[in-house]
Amino acid sequence: MIDRQFKRLALLAATAMVGLTFYVMAQEAAPADFTVATTADYGTYLVTPDGHSLYLYVKDEGGVSACVDACANNWIALLAGDDGVATAGEGVDQSLVGTTTRADGGVQVTYGGHPLYTFKRDTAPGTTRGQKLGGEFFLVSPTAAAIEDKLPEQQADISESDLDALKATGAAVFAANCAVCHGDNGEGRIGPALANNSIVGNTDFIVERVLNGFIEHGMPPFKALDDQQIAGVITFVRTSFGNDYGAVLPEEVSTRR
Ligand code: HEC
């Protein structure tokens, strides 16, 4: 009797192990197309398995991608694996996962009906250079909502008087270095308008752009300025000309050099 029970248990255990092996193999055969990451800045949002940020495009309607041609050169559709099935990893609501067939034929992964994209300039995992770009691309929360802003506790921690000093430095740097191309009031000249321009709210983007410029497009690098000057001019732009995005601190510039 005991012997029989033992045999049955052993059989059960063996079955479970075979099951587990199949499960593990199945996992290997269909790696997740996307999963989630958590950062102090944006909380939890969708990323590729290797950590590249995923974005939704506000112009996509009815689950169909409107990002084609030139747009698709910068925003790379997240395609379902060879099986054409979208597979999500841990932390993702499986019931929101789907696919859409692109005009160019690929099967793109959707989440909550939003086709997902990576951004060409997020060359390293963990960067969020595409966040809020043009007010049209946003990181995506696990509930499939666009993440519009940084978490409140990530707004720069700075005293009123330090903020005033930073802005004063920034105003002088702007007048001496930026106004010639972006206009005295950020209205734009040979450079684009910085007034009412949501792109300046994207910390990764603006720090990178001011440090390194975009020489092919006529924006020179400003690496030669010190951290206080760069943080100052960015803070000045972010809190002037109709923009309201708060300070960027010298330490934030320093870590991005
Ligand atoms: C010689 C002209 C020139 C100067 C000087 C200059 N910029 Fe620019 N800037 C440009 C051009 C041209 C672009 C557009 C580049 C591109 O295609 O992204 C640009 C883009 C930008 C952008 C991105 C705007 C957007 O909508 O994409 C920001 C932010 C910016 N500049 C900030 C500054 C700041 C701050 C300074 C001063 C420290 C500065 N620029 C000095 C020419 C200039």
Side-chain angles (χ1 to χ4, degrees):
M1 177 69 190
I2 289 184
D3 193 38
R4 216 207 269 155
Q5 221 165 26
F6 177 73
K7 268 191 191 151
R8 201 188 287 158
L9 269 176
L11 193 66
L12 258 176
T15 314
M17 271 171 71
V18 171
L20 193 68
T21 313
F22 271 119
Y23 176 73
V24 170
M25 279 169 56
Q27 291 273 302
E28 272 167 14
D33 296 314
F34 67 108
T35 176
V36 296
T38 302
T39 62
D41 275 354
Y42 294 108
T44 302
Y45 55 89
L46 306 186
V47 296
T48 63
D50 65 358
H52 284 85
S53 303
L54 289 164
Y55 301 89
L56 61 77
Y57 182 36
V58 296
K59 292 196 176 157
D60 288 348
E61 271 173 35
V64 178
S65 173
C67 185
V68 291
D69 302 329
C71 176
N73 291 334
N74 286 316
W75 300 91
I76 318 301
L78 176 70
L79 298 180
D82 293 341
D83 53 4
V85 177
T87 318
E90 231 168 271
V92 176
D93 183 344
Q94 303 291 336
S95 69
L96 296 176
V97 180
T99 57
T100 178
T101 301
R102 293 183 54 78
D104 56 23
V107 177
Q108 185 171 5
V109 177
T110 63
Y111 193 61
H114 302 292
L116 298 177
Y117 308 86
T118 52
F119 182 44
K120 200 177 176 182
R121 300 201 49 243
D122 279 332
T123 43
T127 59
T128 53
R129 295 206 167 106
Q131 168 63 357
K132 249 187 179 171
L133 258 194
E136 292 179 335
F137 287 87
F138 293 92
L139 295 169
V140 188
S141 80
T143 59
I147 297 178
E148 308 235 336
D149 292 303
K150 288 195 170 189
L151 299 176
E153 59 266 36
Q154 292 308 313
Q155 302 287 343
D157 182 13
I158 183 170
S159 73
E160 202 71 27
S161 60
D162 284 355
L163 182 60
D164 287 346
L166 201 55
K167 281 191 203 169
T169 305
V173 173
F174 188 87
N177 297 280
C178 319
V180 60
C181 293
H182 290 286
D184 290 337
N185 296 304
E187 71 277 18
R189 277 184 202 152
I190 72 155
L194 301 181
N196 302 307
N197 185 341
S198 64
I199 208 166
V200 308
N202 181 329
T203 304
D204 284 328
F205 174 84
I206 191 167
V207 175
E208 200 268 340
R209 176 59 38 103
V210 175
L211 281 173
N212 302 319
F214 194 155
I215 297 171
E216 310 90 280
H217 289 195
M219 165 85 185
F222 287 92
K223 270 196 201 82
L225 299 176
D226 66 26
D227 293 344
Q228 175 78 12
Q229 290 172 313
I230 289 184
V233 75
I234 289 174
T235 298
F236 172 72
V237 167
R238 281 160 63 106
T239 54
S240 309
F241 316 140
N243 300 320
D244 184 16
Y245 297 100
V248 166
L249 303 183
E251 303 83 76
E252 294 182 86
V253 174
S254 166
T255 58
R256 288 173 168 85
R257 273 188 191 270

